[in-house]
Amino acid sequence: MRAVAAFLLMIGVAAPVCAQSSELMLPAKVEAGAAFSIQSTGTGKGTLYIAGLGQVLKRDVQLGETTWFPAGTLYNAGHYAVFLAGNGSAASGAFDVVPVSQPADLSFLARPSRLAVGLHDGITGAVFLFDAYKNLIPVSMPIEFRLTSPSSETQSSTVVTHNGAAWTVMDSTAKQGTDKFVASSGAISSTRIIGQVPGDPCGLKMSAKPAGRQIQLQTDPVRDCSGNAVPDGTIVTFTEAYNGAQSTVDVPLKRGIAQVEMPAHADATITVASGVILGNQIRWEK
Amino acid sequence: MTTLKSILILCAVLGSATGAAAAQATVHVEPASFQGPRPLADQTAKAAIRDYIESWQSLNAALDGNRADLLDADFVGDAKDKLMAAIQEQSRLGIRTHYEDRAHDVQIVFYSPEGLSIELTDTVDYDVQLLDHDKSQGMQRVHMRYLVVLTPAELRWKVRVLQAEAE
């Protein structure tokens, strides 16, 4: 038995911890979920306690023998204090349980879930990397982030984790639709869906024609600066100013255009806008 | 100079804020060390660190009294699940553990771009004592580096990951 202890000491996987007349041979580190053993010296019966913030164990042991802990006994990474009590003697020590280096789970947070097209650095992704026992893996590992747009345009970046975390930023693309945002590490991946919606109207333009004693006003199909159709329901505001008076009509887009009839006042000035976006201006002279 | 000043202020604030709750634990805050698109406001950093330091009091009370309900205010997710499992096991075995933190050396190392998680490292000095049916089985003084992930809840930052990191 002492030969085994001497061998373990020699290869640096175990260290003796003494107190009073007992002695403990503890592993320096145990991989989460792996089998391990603790050897004690002395004679008679004792009780072995292993306490950490994630798990607590208590075993009746025979002093002087090796106590075996099968795989899956300790799986929460952390620092574990060990106390041995028995036969009028006591010993204590400590060892660490380290995460499995093979990732099993990604905690992937992507924001926002919906945004306008064409925004530089508009999409962010952050990842925490965990092993199969939900232990954070602090060892640096590469994470690949990949954003695929509706037009199959792909942005990707590979980021190495620090303290188990990694992040990236991506641009929203020019085409509206649904993006797939994937974070992966080896065979483990996690996907988030990002909705890209048209941006503000761009180049808002209306035309006017007489309709009896009214003016019929109609916009061209309203699109954003990337050419995506602005959604129906978006409010377009027509304003007519004449003889020091002003009238305003709000019209929702329908099938991509907004149209309205307003009174035909001579020398009226008519403008069109959507939100803070101004369109063209028409002077009605008839 | 501005950074140094804010750190000193943070230390002072934490000292007074945690003085009552954290017994004599001293708290030292290193300048934040991370690169990211989202700036970390001093107020956010102070709140996160204050809440984290206070979580050690809940942790100790919960493990010392085998009362999982005391974790609710400060822990969430995996950290809470693991501590609850430990408390359940302690209760079953008739064990209690008493943790007393003595010193913290804290540094924020990650602030996620969307602002929903802060990661910090904490080199903690603490004592751990194990009692079996109220009989002490020993005490150890521990010096350990912890990785901590915090997430914001309704009123405070809560600990989502609390994991000692082997040297």
Side-chain angles (χ1 to χ4, degrees):
Chain A
M1 199 63 76
R2 287 192 179 278
V4 173
F7 175 70
L8 291 173
L9 269 177
M10 187 176 69
I11 61 173
V13 297
V17 184
C18 307
Q20 297 176 21
S21 60
S22 291
E23 192 174 302
L24 281 170
M25 295 294 298
L26 299 173
K29 290 178 190 174
V30 175
E31 189 177 71
F36 65 100
S37 63
I38 293 176
Q39 189 194 339
S40 62
T41 60
T43 56
K45 292 189 181 302
T47 306
L48 185 67
Y49 302 91
I50 301 175
L53 291 178
Q55 284 181 269
V56 178
L57 303 176
K58 178 183 174 183
R59 294 281 191 278
D60 292 328
V61 296
Q62 184 67 45
L63 300 180
E65 293 188 357
T66 300
T67 305
W68 297 94
F69 295 85
T73 305
L74 273 186
Y75 45 82
N76 286 329
H79 184 73
Y80 287 84
V82 182
F83 300 96
L84 176 65
N87 204 21
S89 63
S92 70
F95 65 94
D96 298 318
V97 173
V98 298
V100 179
S101 55
Q102 181 72 30
D105 188 28
L106 281 168
S107 169
F108 179 30
L109 197 57
R111 284 286 189 274
S113 57
R114 189 179 136 134
L115 80 166
V117 296
L119 290 182
H120 180 59
D121 289 349
I123 301 168
T124 65
V127 158
F128 287 99
L129 197 56
F130 295 92
D131 69 8
Y133 301 103
K134 298 182 179 177
N135 299 308
L136 186 66
I137 301 176
V139 178
S140 293
M141 305 194 91
I143 304 286
E144 186 186 6
F145 292 97
R146 198 171 60 255
L147 182 76
T148 307
S149 74
S151 58
S152 298
E153 183 186 339
T154 299
Q155 300 170 63
S156 68
S157 68
T158 300
V159 182
V160 174
T161 58
H162 290 284
N163 296 307
W167 61 273
T168 192
V169 291
M170 302 271 182
D171 304 334
S172 63
T173 53
K175 191 169 172 57
Q176 67 172 313
T178 302
D179 289 353
K180 269 176 67 178
F181 195 12
V182 181
S184 58
S185 175
I188 306 301
S189 69
S190 183
T191 302
R192 298 290 178 265
I193 300 299
I194 307 284
Q196 289 196 169
V197 297
D200 291 329
C202 197
L204 183 60
K205 190 178 175 189
M206 68 175 165
S207 57
K209 63 180 181 184
R213 299 173 71 176
Q214 304 280 307
I215 311 168
Q216 186 177 7
L217 301 166
Q218 180 178 309
T219 63
D220 289 353
V222 181
R223 298 185 180 280
D224 67 11
C225 295
S226 302
N228 300 293
V230 173
D232 283 358
T234 302
I235 298 296
V236 174
T237 302
F238 295 92
T239 303
E240 182 181 18
Y242 55 94
N243 297 333
Q246 181 174 294
S247 63
T248 300
V249 180
D250 287 337
V251 180
L253 281 183
K254 194 172 178 184
R255 292 178 186 168
I257 62 169
Q259 54 186 342
V260 69
E261 288 188 354
M262 300 183 82
H265 295 285
D267 295 327
T269 302
I270 303 162
T271 56
V272 65
S274 180
V276 296
I277 307 299
L278 292 176
N280 62 323
Q281 176 177 298
I282 292 173
R283 187 171 179 84
W284 190 258
E285 295 180 342
K286 293 173 185 173
Chain B
M1 187 59 83
T2 308
T3 310
L4 180 61
K5 189 178 171 188
S6 55
I7 293 160
L8 291 171
I9 291 168
L10 184 57
C11 288
V13 169
L14 284 166
S16 59
T18 61
Q24 280 79 40
T26 58
V27 180
H28 176 71
V29 181
E30 302 280 351
S33 172
F34 67 91
Q35 291 183 327
R38 189 182 186 89
L40 178 62
D42 275 358
Q43 202 173 3
T44 305
K46 285 175 193 170
I49 293 170
R50 180 199 61 215
D51 292 347
Y52 162 67
I53 296 296
E54 287 178 3
S55 75
W56 274 81
Q57 304 310 303
S58 305
L59 179 153
N60 177 42
L63 287 165
D64 199 17
N66 284 334
R67 287 187 53 192
D69 60 301
L70 297 179
L71 299 170
D72 293 344
D74 294 297
F75 293 88
V76 70
D78 291 341
K80 186 178 173 185
D81 293 345
K82 290 178 179 183
L83 286 167
M84 284 174 69
I87 288 170
Q88 219 168 21
E89 196 60 11
Q90 283 192 169
S91 293
R92 193 180 67 79
L93 297 170
I95 291 173
R96 292 190 293 124
T97 44
H98 179 77
Y99 286 82
E100 186 169 342
D101 54 327
R102 296 191 169 277
H104 297 268
D105 190 356
V106 180
Q107 182 176 42
I108 291 178
V109 294
F110 180 67
Y111 186 34
S112 64
E114 76 296 328
L116 292 179
S117 57
I118 286 178
E119 184 179 25
L120 53 87
T121 60
D122 182 16
T123 304
V124 198
D125 289 310
Y126 63 91
D127 295 337
V128 55
Q129 183 183 23
L130 188 142
L131 301 101
D132 189 350
H133 295 91
D134 293 330
K135 184 186 173 192
S136 176
Q137 300 300 322
M139 192 185 82
Q140 290 182 19
R141 181 150 293 183
V142 179
H143 177 81
M144 203 70 206
R145 184 176 187 260
Y146 276 79
L147 287 175
V148 184
V149 178
L150 304 164
T151 54
E154 297 82 4
L155 300 173
R156 57 191 293 123
W157 290 85
K158 291 193 178 188
V159 178
R160 184 171 287 276
V161 173
L162 176 64
Q163 185 177 304
E165 189 181 19
E167 289 175 12

